[in-house]
Amino acid sequence: NAGVTQTPKFRVLKTGQSMTLLCAQDMNHEYMYWYRQDPGMGLRLIHYSVGEGTTAKGEVPDGYNVSRLKKQNFLLGLESAAPSQTSVYFCASEKSGTSYNEQFFGPGTRLTVL
Amino acid sequence: GQNIDQPTEMTATEGAIVQINCTYQTSGFNGLFWYQQHAGEAPTFLSYNVLDGLEEKGRFSSFLSRSKGYSYLLLKELQMKDSASYLCAVKSGNTPLVFGKGTRLSVIA
């Protein structure tokens, strides 16, 4: 059981470049989340998904797109990267939206946009 | 929206007890979580409270008062490995979890 994995672990982009971050989970969880974490700002929700084929906006969705074509995968796309998107990105999964279910986090992707 | 407050930093001595507070304002409260996050690593689940009272799990305990919008995480017999950030997160209704900014705890000898 790998849990939640993220690819890549590190990436440096130039302004205007695009990239996709991949999150995969092998726990058959319904819910998946993408967060960004910046110093002094805590974890902020970018987008989330409550099941295969569904996505919804979180607190800071601008500049990002997501897709959940398969239950086990949740992709985060940056179409035209900006320096303000320099951050650590965490993916998380949850069995369902029931209140008592904990979230399981991936190891994070450290992205720098120059 | 939700407003979650916790201290930015705390320092405590190895072997001591430390209490990390979290206050929140929300409607439709549906549970409060504590996560631990070591530097450079992912958050990991510590505890969940939905009813008033104390939940104990080894050296860690978490308390909730729904009427006061208040929770604390109590760490006993502090060890150097407890140096980490502690994140308070609140669930309201069916909306996604909202995290506080975290409390960075430094344990010193």
Side-chain angles (χ1 to χ4, degrees), chain B residues 17-20 34 54-63 72-76 78:
Chain B
I17 299 173
V18 71
Q19 178 175 312
I20 302 174
W34 284 95
L54 190 68
E55 294 280 343
E56 296 187 76
K57 196 184 289 186
R59 293 188 300 114
F60 292 10
S61 303
S62 56
F63 171 83
Y72 67 72
L73 182 69
L74 194 71
L75 290 72
K76 302 176 186 175
L78 278 173

Side-chain angles (χ1 to χ4, degrees), chain A residues 71-91:
Chain A
K71 187 176 183 179
Q72 63 267 34
N73 295 338
F74 195 28
L75 277 63
L76 178 71
L78 286 73
E79 289 187 350
S80 179
S84 61
Q85 293 178 304
T86 293
S87 188
V88 180
Y89 292 85
F90 286 102
C91 174

Side-chain angles (χ1 to χ4, degrees), chain B residues 67-100:
Chain B
S67 62
K68 295 182 179 177
Y70 169 68
S71 173
Y72 67 72
L73 182 69
L74 194 71
L75 290 72
K76 302 176 186 175
E77 301 169 14
L78 278 173
Q79 302 176 11
M80 300 300 284
K81 68 178 181 179
D82 297 330
S83 292
S85 288
Y86 292 87
L87 314 179
C88 172
V90 174
K91 189 143 177 72
S92 298
N94 290 325
T95 61
L97 203 59
V98 175
F99 285 83

Side-chain angles (χ1 to χ4, degrees), chain B:
Chain B
Q2 295 175 34
N3 192 24
I4 302 172
D5 282 315
Q6 46 181 136
T8 304
E9 292 188 42
M10 297 182 72
T11 301
T13 305
E14 193 176 16
I17 299 173
V18 71
Q19 178 175 312
I20 302 174
N21 296 326
C22 172
T23 59
Y24 63 89
Q25 295 173 321
T26 188
S27 55
F29 176 81
N30 206 8
L32 186 144
F33 292 79
W34 284 95
Y35 283 81
Q36 180 189 58
Q37 185 178 23
H38 286 100
E41 297 183 9
T44 55
F45 170 77
L46 280 179
S47 69
Y48 168 74
N49 295 71
V50 68
L51 300 176
D52 289 352
L54 190 68
E55 294 280 343
E56 296 187 76
K57 196 184 289 186
R59 293 188 300 114
F60 292 10
S61 303
S62 56
F63 171 83
L64 176 68
S65 168
R66 289 173 298 172
S67 62
K68 295 182 179 177
Y70 169 68
S71 173
Y72 67 72
L73 182 69
L74 194 71
L75 290 72
K76 302 176 186 175
E77 301 169 14
L78 278 173
Q79 302 176 11
M80 300 300 284
K81 68 178 181 179
D82 297 330
S83 292
S85 288
Y86 292 87
L87 314 179
C88 172
V90 174
K91 189 143 177 72
S92 298
N94 290 325
T95 61
L97 203 59
V98 175
F99 285 83
K101 294 181 180 179
T103 298
R104 187 163 64 216
L105 174 67
S106 298
V107 180
I108 59 175

Side-chain angles (χ1 to χ4, degrees), chain A residues 6 21 32-37 42-48 59-60 74 76 87-94 103 105 109, chain B residues 35 96-99:
Chain A
Q6 291 183 230
L21 283 69
M32 295 186 75
Y33 306 86
W34 274 109
Y35 294 92
R36 61 177 289 173
Q37 188 173 40
L43 281 167
R44 292 184 293 169
L45 183 64
I46 304 171
H47 286 279
Y48 65 103
E59 179 187 355
V60 289
F74 195 28
L76 178 71
S87 188
V88 180
Y89 292 85
F90 286 102
C91 174
S93 74
E94 182 182 333
Q103 291 185 14
F105 285 82
T109 295
Chain B
Y35 283 81
L97 203 59
V98 175
F99 285 83

